[in-house]
Amino acid sequence: MDQYEPDALSAAQVAAMRRSMTSGRGALTRRSMLRASGVGALAIGGAATLSACGIPPAKREETGAVSSDHSAKERQINFSNWTEYMDTSEDGKSRPTLEAFARRTGIKVKYTEDINDNVEFFGKIQPQLAAGQPTGRDLICVTDWLAARMIRLGWAQKLDASLLPHAFANLSAQFRTPDWDPGRAYSYPWTGISTVIAYNSKATGGKKVDSVTQLLDDPTLKGRVGFLTEMRDTVGMTLLELGKDPAKFTDADYDAALGRLQKGVDKKQIRRFTGNDYTSDLDKGDIAACLAWAGDVIQLQVDNPDIKYAIPAAGYITSSDNLLVPAGARHQTNATRLIDYYYELPVAAELAAYINYVCPVEGVSAELTKIDKSLADNTLIIPDRAMAAKSHAFRSLTSKEETAYEEKFAKLIGA
């Protein structure tokens, strides 16, 4: 990776960010939908702002940002998270797992739901980070691409591994080694987000749809197939179908994937490329099959038993939302203890039962069964070994790569 963040983003990166924010993952909420993601969306709130205000990008320090820790004297944590991304009591007046943590440790958690999307939130904290000032937050939850950039810029604190025994032991193998934070030195996942194939069995006449090849070539699906406007999801799933690793692909591999998709456009196999608006078309059967986000599938299945999903034999794309301690945090030790707390199996189960996202905690199934066996059996929440083995992450991109790839992808989807 480049050592410094670029001074500005290209038009292609900004356009991709706008797609995500208006109709893609960036337009979605947590529990009912999915999180903002994937494009070079640091965009307006990030590197472009650095250039505009004349603040040079920070250099990443090998040991991460360091600030004075007041945890021993100040028994508190300021935690910023997304809306509806924490377990809540039925009356909505309490947060059971956070309150249990406070009772056990004596550490009070000020929990704020002030993250609506990654770009907007980064715009709130970027001026302080760039100036070397505290953000007023000890723990934040951001999507993998933003976590990667904050680590790269030196704006995340390296975690004390001695305070993370449960996290280290229980982190699922599929989330252990992201290329942007090898060994999870700076971050731990809060949840995972999976891209799968979804289909309306009534619209397909009972036929199962379980591969990208079928989406692109099955004549019975012609004109009723959807792919996503999020480049990493659509291209990543196509790379897998071509036998390429999304974590290691080349420019030629990328072009081959686009060529494969272009054929689907030219012969009108693909109805359209969509953001989260595919859900209504899939529910009605106007789209018979498509790439979909797992959280949407779970929600759609509540009211429509015809909605099915499949994990392609070639594999699927997974990304994550992640807990980080930002530079300048006053209570690093307390925050790190809270991260570890959510990797205790009973606690992880209680959280997963409420938010219904992919749980990154290995071995949680037995505890979740005590709460709701149907959730424990749902591989979109608790991937079994076979499913986890098929999970792949889209590799980090340089700014130059992202510009080139987004320009080509925009032409493909007609954006």
Side-chain angles (χ1 to χ4, degrees):
M1 287 187 176
D2 301 332
Q3 190 175 31
Y4 296 89
E5 196 67 18
D7 290 336
L9 292 169
S10 68
Q13 289 172 304
V14 173
M17 183 267 314
R18 286 173 177 161
R19 284 200 306 274
S20 184
M21 294 309 301
T22 57
S23 64
R25 291 185 187 170
L28 308 176
T29 60
R30 281 304 190 276
R31 199 168 175 221
S32 61
M33 295 288 187
L34 291 172
R35 56 94 181 100
S37 130
V39 292
L42 187 54
I44 295 173
T49 306
L50 291 178
S51 179
C53 66
I55 300 173
K59 179 180 179 181
R60 173 175 172 175
E61 300 296 337
E62 288 302 317
T63 57
V66 177
S67 62
S68 299
D69 190 359
H70 301 267
S71 292
K73 293 183 178 180
E74 299 174 7
R75 307 293 287 170
Q76 65 188 69
I77 303 169
N78 295 316
F79 182 6
S80 285
N81 205 349
W82 300 77
T83 58
E84 298 188 70
Y85 221 24
M86 178 66 73
D87 57 296
T88 305
S89 62
E90 290 186 7
D91 61 10
K93 295 182 179 180
S94 64
R95 304 187 185 281
T97 58
L98 284 178
E99 293 183 3
F101 175 81
R103 288 194 299 270
R104 182 201 296 182
T105 64
I107 299 170
K108 182 179 180 180
V109 182
K110 180 182 178 182
Y111 184 78
T112 307
E113 294 180 328
D114 61 345
I115 306 180
N116 295 308
D117 66 69
N118 287 288
V119 178
E120 179 187 43
F121 179 68
F122 190 75
K124 294 179 183 178
I125 64 175
Q126 178 271 333
Q128 293 99 321
L129 292 170
Q133 299 172 350
T135 66
R137 298 165 175 86
D138 302 303
L139 191 64
I140 61 176
C141 183
V142 294
T143 302
D144 44 17
W145 64 264
L146 181 52
R149 293 197 179 195
M150 288 187 65
I151 293 168
R152 180 179 172 184
L153 289 166
W155 290 347
Q157 303 216 37
K158 195 167 186 177
L159 301 174
D160 183 346
S162 70
L163 299 175
L164 295 162
H166 297 96
F168 180 81
N170 296 334
L171 176 60
S172 174
Q174 73 181 97
F175 295 102
R176 280 190 177 272
T177 56
D179 64 355
W180 47 270
D181 187 14
R184 291 289 183 179
Y186 294 86
S187 69
Y188 269 85
W190 182 248
T191 55
I193 310 295
S194 301
T195 303
V196 300
I197 291 176
Y199 60 98
N200 185 318
S201 61
K202 185 176 181 179
T204 65
K207 178 185 291 187
K208 183 178 182 180
V209 182
D210 60 3
S211 71
V212 171
T213 293
Q214 191 175 357
L215 290 175
L216 291 173
D217 294 338
D218 188 335
T220 67
L221 301 176
K222 185 174 181 178
R224 298 187 298 149
V225 168
F227 279 78
L228 295 166
T229 54
E230 296 283 357
M231 181 269 287
R232 285 166 174 80
D233 295 307
T234 287
V235 176
M237 293 291 280
T238 307
L239 283 167
L240 286 168
E241 191 75 3
L242 293 174
K244 303 299 182 180
D245 185 348
K248 299 177 181 178
F249 69 89
T250 65
D251 289 347
D253 296 332
Y254 184 88
D255 289 343
L258 286 192
R260 184 78 174 91
L261 291 161
Q262 186 65 58
K263 290 180 181 178
V265 172
D266 293 344
K267 65 182 182 181
K268 302 188 185 305
Q269 178 78 5
I270 299 174
R271 181 185 183 93
R272 63 191 182 103
F273 292 85
T274 73
N276 63 295
D277 52 327
Y278 70 83
T279 55
S280 60
D281 284 346
L282 181 64
D283 189 41
K284 291 183 295 184
D286 292 340
I287 286 180
C290 62
L291 294 187
W293 293 309
D296 289 343
V297 175
I298 294 173
Q299 295 295 320
L300 287 171
Q301 287 179 326
V302 172
D303 297 316
N304 188 345
D306 293 324
I307 302 301
K308 312 291 184 183
Y309 77 92
I311 305 299
Y316 66 101
I317 295 293
T318 297
S319 53
S320 58
D321 284 333
N322 307 273
L323 298 172
L324 288 86
V325 177
R330 287 180 61 87
H331 312 109
Q332 307 99 302
T333 296
N334 294 344
T336 306
R337 290 181 66 183
L338 185 62
I339 294 173
D340 192 64
Y341 170 73
Y342 277 101
Y343 276 79
E344 295 181 18
L345 300 183
V347 180
E350 192 168 350
L351 180 67
Y354 185 82
I355 65 175
N356 294 173
Y357 280 77
V358 177
C359 181
V361 182
E362 188 75 29
V364 75
S365 181
E367 292 293 336
L368 188 54
T369 297
K370 298 175 185 178
I371 301 172
D372 187 331
K373 188 177 186 303
S374 67
L375 295 178
D377 292 340
N378 190 332
T379 54
L380 293 181
I381 298 174
I382 308 294
D384 56 21
R385 288 186 179 182
M387 183 170 174
K390 293 180 179 179
S391 171
H392 298 266
F394 198 95
R395 71 171 172 83
S396 298
L397 302 177
T398 65
S399 182
K400 182 178 179 181
E401 284 178 323
E402 189 161 21
T403 295
Y405 292 170
E406 288 290 3
E407 285 177 350
K408 292 178 180 180
F409 187 69
K411 290 179 181 178
L412 170 73
I413 68 175

